Amino acid sequence: VGCKAILVFFQYGVMANFYWLLVEGLYLHILLVLIFSPNRHFTIYLLIGWGIPTIFIITWTVTRILLEDTGCWDTNEHGGPWWVIRIPILISIIVNFILFISIIRILLQKLRSPDVGGNDQSQYKRLAKSTLLLIPLFGVHYTVFALFPDRSSNNYKIIFELCLGSFQGLIVAVLYCFLNSEV
């Protein structure tokens, strides 16, 4: 029972990580689209970041108990329970990628406006810098292997996620906190 409880909390942490990435993307997108919005929607963000993973983890736990209650739940012989977790994570990755593309489009429009000074080369440098800063914040690197089946790309996926995913928090902290003069 202890092993299963630890795995449930682990899966909850993984899913909450993806949904908090989605919340960051939604928040930034709303800030850029609705510039003078008085309502900051923090309750909705909390429900997305903690609530949606809770619903799916409870559903996953029930399906594991009913369909595949073997061992410590670390194997997936039947695909059903695994997809209860996998599909919401894939949806959050895809929505976050769409938000990322939308924000890049908004930044490109703002750089092309006549009010922005500088030559084309400096504008594209600023766009490239903004894009590179947004990649770890949105978790864009997860889209590389998101739609591949786990068995076909597992070795490359592990190496890729260990190299990029493990340092994502550090990169975000350095770029947005430590190097930010306002913080």
Side-chain angles (χ1 to χ4, degrees):
V1 174
C3 180
K4 292 176 183 177
I6 289 171
L7 191 66
V8 167
F9 284 118
F10 172 75
Q11 294 295 349
Y12 178 74
V14 169
M15 187 175 273
N17 176 49
F18 283 102
Y19 274 88
W20 277 109
L21 287 173
L22 178 62
V23 167
E24 290 173 3
L26 285 170
Y27 181 70
L28 185 59
H29 191 265
I30 287 173
L31 282 178
L32 289 173
V33 173
L34 304 173
I35 296 171
F36 297 110
S37 174
N39 189 0
R40 296 291 184 216
H41 312 289
F42 289 119
T43 306
I44 294 170
Y45 297 144
L46 288 172
L47 290 174
I48 292 171
W50 296 120
I52 291 175
T54 301
I55 292 168
F56 284 106
I57 290 300
I58 290 171
T59 306
W60 175 73
T61 304
V62 170
T63 57
R64 282 304 292 225
I65 291 170
L66 296 176
L67 298 177
E68 193 177 0
D69 193 9
T70 58
C72 186
W73 294 355
D74 56 348
T75 59
N76 296 308
E77 294 174 14
H78 299 93
W82 180 243
W83 285 105
V84 172
I85 291 177
R86 187 84 174 133
I87 288 175
I89 288 175
L90 288 174
I91 290 170
S92 73
I93 290 171
I94 291 168
V95 170
N96 220 12
F97 187 71
I98 291 168
L99 289 172
F100 174 75
I101 297 298
S102 176
I103 288 173
I104 296 302
R105 184 184 53 79
I106 291 168
L107 290 175
L108 187 60
Q109 287 175 351
K110 289 183 186 247
L111 285 176
R112 288 185 178 170
S113 73
D115 298 337
V116 177
N119 58 14
D120 285 342
Q121 186 178 6
S122 69
Q123 289 178 352
Y124 286 114
K125 277 184 178 180
R126 289 172 52 193
L127 179 64
K129 181 180 176 185
S130 300
T131 304
L132 290 174
L133 286 172
L134 290 175
I135 287 173
L137 185 68
F138 278 75
V140 174
H141 60 278
Y142 290 117
T143 59
V144 174
F145 289 104
L147 300 176
F148 286 106
D150 282 338
R151 288 179 175 81
S152 68
S153 62
N154 205 18
N155 292 335
Y156 300 113
K157 182 179 178 180
I158 289 173
I159 293 169
F160 189 76
E161 286 188 3
L162 284 175
C163 291
L164 290 177
S166 297
F167 293 106
Q168 177 184 6
L170 176 66
I171 292 169
V172 169
V174 167
L175 293 176
Y176 294 100
C177 294
F178 303 134
L179 296 179
N180 188 347
S181 62
E182 294 175 8
V183 177

